[in-house]
Amino acid sequence: MWWLKDVWVIDPSQKVSGPQDVLVKGGQILEISSGMTEEEVLGKAQGESLETINGKGKFVFPGLIDVHTHLREPGQEDKEDILSGSRAAVRGGFTTILAMANTHPPIDSRALVEFVLRQGERAGYAHVLPIGTVTKGMQGSELVEMADMKAGGAAAFSDDGKNIQNPEVMRLALEYAKLTGFPIISHCEDKDLAGEGLMRRGVTSGRMGLRGIPASAESVIVARDLILAEETGGKLHLAHISTAESVELIRRAKARGVDVTAEVNPHHLIFCDEEIGITDTVLKVNPPLGSRGDREALIEGLADGTIDMIATDHAPHTQAEKTRPFAEAPFGIASLETALSAVWQYLVLPGRLSFDRVVEAWSVTPAQRFGLNGGTLKPGVSADMVLFDPDFKEEINSTTLVSKARNTPFLGKTWQGFPVMVWVEGRLVQRDRTVI
Ligand code: NCD
Ligand code: ZN
């Protein structure tokens, strides 16, 4: 049994934010209340061994749920695999991750869904839930067997990494996904507008002489998908929103009652295109980093609920690939282990976002939208839980990262504020930043 004493509990699912005691017993949340005495707690332990944690000055909240994680297995295990990725997840405070389908081969059949699920269970760290593709082979034409893949354990459908360019295919996908109750996760990027672009089109891309991707490459598809979601009544989830115009489109669609949710990645809340260096591909990411104005609109949209969720878009790549010339390096930032602390450093500490909103957007809302376990510390639920210490200091470096990837812009940074204990189903899987 665990007794977290005098800890600041953040559980937006129960509208709790304040100092409490938390008891975990038999893998479940037993009780959250204040002023428990040792005698009472020992009575409740009923012989189970008790570990008491002094939670003063620390936060506890439901484990984060990341709805956008690339784990690369099967097929590209040199970048990451399900074991290394799910260890990185619990190091970063995530107890559930949704594994994107753009593996090699893509997850477009029930057998492959079952493979990812099994590998996740075998790893035994975060819950790994497979996302299935929308179209066979991610080719954008023929829909997968959604009901069969759901029966095998798929949690959502997405061709992420690639836009569904044909609007009729997208319309049908939204229509058929209704039968599963799952959202279609859309990677909004018009292929022709994006062309061979390498970063956001603007003053910086012009100065650097790099081919640009206009903001409209995203917003045009956001607008299209919102129209299709409204027409079909299907559930739509927009991945990695990055432009001010997209935020505005979503705001208006929500006012009309469209069944849409959207996510934003930490890097789009923290960086903008001006910070990209020609010799440094670490900030080369898709969608590309936008302007300062985009960043502001994303922070505002997340704060006011227009953007529902934060998701990492953890996109691990090898150093060999990322050290190629800018034009040839792959898009992506690996972020599972740093994302929560980055949001703490760059957004919560400066007062741009409340920590309560972060927990809501990264745990409660993802659980509700995707119909998952977790996202709450209600008594009786399985204890997927994080203890966050705002005073814990660490340097982000190659030796401590457990992901296979090193493509993070934060290498060499020393921060204060990390998840220091993580439980999955009541089992401690990370302590003082060491994965157990
Ligand atoms: C992702 C990847 O590497 O798979 N890359 C990225 O820059 N985000 C694909 C994606 O999420 O679109
Ligand atoms: Zn994507």
Side-chain angles (χ1 to χ4, degrees):
M1 184 158 116
W2 294 94
W3 179 16
L4 281 69
K5 247 177 125 168
D6 293 326
V7 68
W8 190 283
V9 179
I10 301 179
D11 183 0
S13 83
Q14 304 184 76
K15 303 207 178 347
V16 173
S17 186
Q20 302 269 341
D21 283 10
V22 178
L23 292 182
V24 175
K25 191 184 174 206
Q28 296 178 343
I29 306 291
L30 181 69
E31 189 182 332
I32 297 183
S33 58
S34 49
M36 294 179 196
T37 66
E38 182 139 15
E39 232 176 3
E40 281 167 3
V41 174
L42 283 171
K44 284 171 185 162
Q46 293 168 319
E48 210 177 282
S49 73
L50 175 70
E51 184 162 351
T52 307
I53 306 288
N54 177 10
K56 214 164 180 77
K58 305 186 178 79
F59 299 95
V60 73
F61 43 85
L64 300 189
I65 298 177
D66 197 52
V67 302
H68 193 148
T69 311
H70 297 274
L71 292 180
R72 310 301 190 203
E73 182 179 349
Q76 294 178 312
E77 292 85 352
D78 50 337
K79 294 177 194 261
E80 193 79 286
D81 59 31
I82 291 171
L83 176 61
S84 63
S86 59
R87 285 169 58 86
V90 296
R91 193 156 183 274
F94 300 93
T95 53
T96 297
I97 51 180
L98 269 59
M100 270 299 169
N102 66 334
T103 48
H104 293 254
I107 308 305
D108 64 356
S109 69
R110 179 171 180 167
L112 284 160
V113 165
E114 286 171 349
F115 168 79
V116 173
L117 203 56
R118 213 167 39 238
Q119 289 295 82
E121 281 164 9
R122 195 177 293 166
Y125 290 98
H127 303 284
V128 176
L129 305 178
I131 295 174
T133 64
V134 175
T135 67
K136 291 191 182 155
M138 279 178 67
Q139 292 301 305
S141 46
E142 204 183 330
L143 294 184
V144 296
E145 300 289 343
M146 289 181 185
D148 197 35
M149 285 164 68
K150 176 183 176 176
F157 299 103
S158 182
D159 276 5
D160 180 66
K162 249 174 149 180
N163 184 49
I164 296 173
Q165 197 66 21
N166 182 329
E168 171 61 1
V169 174
M170 186 61 182
R171 194 189 66 76
L172 280 173
L174 285 162
E175 190 73 57
Y176 282 118
K178 283 199 279 183
L179 301 171
T180 65
F182 290 166
I184 297 287
I185 303 175
S186 181
H187 165 114
C188 298
E189 179 191 23
D190 184 85
K191 190 164 112 334
D192 300 303
L193 285 170
E196 297 295 305
L198 301 168
M199 64 180 290
R200 172 66 77 74
R201 182 179 296 168
V203 175
T204 311
S205 70
R207 188 169 346 107
M208 288 171 73
L210 289 180
R211 240 179 324 221
I213 301 172
S216 58
E218 173 176 297
S219 332
V220 158
I221 302 295
V222 168
R224 180 199 75 172
D225 288 355
L226 290 169
I227 291 167
L228 294 173
E230 184 163 17
E231 186 178 79
T232 56
K235 276 194 167 74
L236 176 66
H237 177 76
L238 302 169
H240 45 49
I241 285 308
S242 72
T243 82
E245 189 169 30
S246 300
V247 177
E248 196 41 47
L249 287 164
I250 296 162
R251 194 171 276 131
R252 276 190 265 155
K254 284 191 163 180
R256 295 162 64 87
V258 178
D259 192 353
V260 61
T261 48
E263 74 189 36
V264 61
N265 309 142
H267 43 266
H268 290 118
L269 298 169
I270 294 169
F271 299 109
C272 51
D273 60 352
E274 294 165 29
E275 285 150 292
I276 298 174
I278 185 90
T279 55
D280 187 8
T281 62
V282 81
L283 293 179
K284 182 180 176 185
V285 66
N286 197 11
L289 300 174
S291 66
R292 284 166 188 246
D294 290 309
R295 183 174 60 185
E296 279 307 301
L298 293 168
I299 296 171
E300 271 170 33
L302 177 60
D304 73 18
T306 304
I307 297 179
D308 306 84
M309 300 175 211
I310 311 174
T312 64
D313 194 6
H314 176 73
H317 294 293
T318 63
Q319 284 308 89
E321 294 165 303
K322 270 299 206 181
T323 48
R324 287 184 198 148
F326 201 94
E328 290 156 36
F331 291 94
I333 294 175
S335 51
L336 276 175
E337 285 168 83
T338 52
L340 172 61
S341 298
V343 166
W344 172 260
Q345 303 298 318
Y346 291 90
L347 296 149
V348 179
L349 287 182
R352 300 302 315 271
L353 272 180
S354 73
F355 211 26
D356 291 31
R357 175 69 188 129
V358 171
V359 172
E360 180 180 55
W362 227 341
S363 182
V364 182
T365 309
Q368 287 168 353
R369 178 60 163 172
F370 290 88
L372 312 171
N373 293 329
T376 181
L377 297 177
K378 286 197 181 108
V381 302
S382 194
D384 288 356
M385 190 170 84
V386 172
L387 183 74
F388 187 94
D389 182 353
D391 296 321
F392 193 95
K393 208 169 175 178
E394 185 185 291
E395 185 195 283
I396 316 292
N397 66 45
S398 256
T399 53
T400 50
L401 293 173
V402 300
S403 162
K404 290 188 185 180
R406 296 291 177 270
N407 55 311
T408 156
F410 301 123
L411 279 183
K413 290 253 188 292
T414 299
W415 291 339
Q416 229 170 304
F418 287 92
V420 292
M421 291 178 92
V422 176
W423 292 262
V424 173
E425 294 180 358
R427 190 167 59 87
L428 191 68
V429 287
Q430 190 253 82
R431 185 167 210 161
D432 293 338
R433 310 288 294 144
T434 300
V435 178
I436 300 166

